[in-house]
Amino acid sequence: MLQKLTSSWPMLWQEFALFARLVKIEHSVFALPFAYIGLFLAASGWPGWGPFIFLSVAMVAVRSFAMAVNRLADVQYDLKNPRTQDRPLVTGEISPSKAWIMTLTAAVVFVLACAGLNTLCLYLSPLALVWSGLYSYSKRVTWLSHFWLGSVLGLAPLGGWLAYSPTFTLPAVLFFLGVTFWVAGFDILYACQDVRFDREVGLKSMPVRFGIQEALLLSTFSHVNASLFFLIAGWAAGLSWIYILVWLAVSIVLLWEHTLVAADDLDQLDLAFFTLNGIIAVVLCAGVLADIFGPL
């Protein structure tokens, strides 16, 4: 029995690696730091290992669930889009049935992790799953889908706060709004590269609805709003000049991001979308922690 179990480990690891690739698990860096912002602000310091671990597991699980649903819902489009030909569901490296099993497993892990936090988180967990899963279909009906995605990731600081203190507060809501506009802004940028394909297959986005030039302006507008909400959220949470300096640095990076992309030049899109926004999430979280615990 032990020998059989041991021999199956390589196969199980391979399946996990494929699922991790399917959901781009490394992109958890976009949401996880904001969950920690909510958690540490609610606790006014170290929240303890229990909330920290359960929240970490819940965030990775729900993001994996949402991304897997998105991949499964969009496989018919990914099969036709030249940009998405290396995705595991397209290449056949992972079957839809296995992907669904792993997706449902991620959902169960999320609910169990929420149960480990508190009763409110447990009660809200099905709503979070439904809201994050439905985003994948919003692109069929509205060009405001970028803001739907933003609100899904915006649940991170709100969920982080509720993980420690099951009450809705102004700072948590303001960080929710900041993340919503931040994600919507860079998702609009990301959608610019697929505007021709999306038009052909009938998917909706701001670049499709308004054109790339106008979409870039709307992305900038969204990030201006994100910066303002992050500033007001810090004020509402009682953070000091340490956070203000970090907020200023983050705002400068957001501004720089928009100098890298133009309607006739999307070559720097990966830098603007992946690298800079990953940095923004981590740096803003570090600023909150430095403010709470004092400069290291």
Side-chain angles (χ1 to χ4, degrees), residues 111-293:
V111 172
L112 291 176
C114 288
L117 289 167
N118 54 58
T119 303
L120 180 61
C121 288
L122 174 60
Y123 288 164
L124 293 177
S125 60
L127 295 177
L129 289 172
V130 170
W131 187 252
S132 60
L134 284 178
Y135 155 72
S136 302
Y137 299 93
S138 66
K139 294 172 286 186
R140 277 84 158 161
V141 296
T142 176
W143 47 265
L144 291 170
S145 57
H146 313 286
F147 291 93
W148 193 319
L149 176 63
S151 70
V152 171
L153 271 74
L155 294 175
L158 193 58
W161 192 290
L162 295 178
Y164 186 85
S165 176
T167 54
F168 290 90
T169 63
L170 181 60
V173 172
L174 289 170
F175 271 113
F176 163 82
L177 292 170
V179 174
T180 297
F181 277 98
W182 170 62
V183 172
F186 71 68
D187 191 59
I188 294 169
L189 292 179
Y190 189 69
C192 287
Q193 64 187 326
D194 284 333
V195 61
R196 182 178 299 177
F197 176 81
D198 288 348
R199 282 197 181 112
E200 290 175 355
V201 299
L203 292 176
K204 302 180 186 300
S205 70
M206 284 192 171
V208 169
R209 174 65 177 82
F210 300 106
I212 292 180
Q213 186 62 54
E214 288 75 12
L216 294 178
L217 292 175
L218 289 166
S219 173
T220 302
F221 171 77
S222 296
H223 280 165
V224 169
N225 276 280
S227 176
L228 291 174
F229 276 120
F230 287 148
L231 176 62
I232 299 170
W235 168 79
L239 298 177
S240 71
W241 61 269
I242 299 175
Y243 175 80
I244 298 300
L245 288 179
V246 173
W247 165 83
L248 181 60
V250 163
S251 298
I252 292 172
V253 172
L254 276 175
L255 176 63
W256 178 39
E257 180 178 321
H258 290 275
T259 68
L260 298 174
V261 182
D264 57 352
D265 183 11
L266 301 177
D267 291 342
Q268 299 297 315
L269 194 59
D270 280 348
L271 173 61
F273 179 75
F274 296 113
T275 308
L276 293 184
N277 285 293
I279 290 172
I280 285 170
V282 173
V283 169
L284 202 65
C285 179
V288 171
L289 296 182
D291 202 303
I292 291 174
F293 295 106

Side-chain angles (χ1 to χ4, degrees), residues 86-132:
D86 62 339
R87 291 179 176 174
L89 278 171
V90 176
T91 62
E93 295 171 273
I94 184 170
S95 67
S97 59
K98 284 187 177 179
W100 274 116
I101 291 172
M102 294 176 183
T103 302
L104 294 175
T105 300
V108 171
V109 170
F110 172 67
V111 172
L112 291 176
C114 288
L117 289 167
N118 54 58
T119 303
L120 180 61
C121 288
L122 174 60
Y123 288 164
L124 293 177
S125 60
L127 295 177
L129 289 172
V130 170
W131 187 252
S132 60

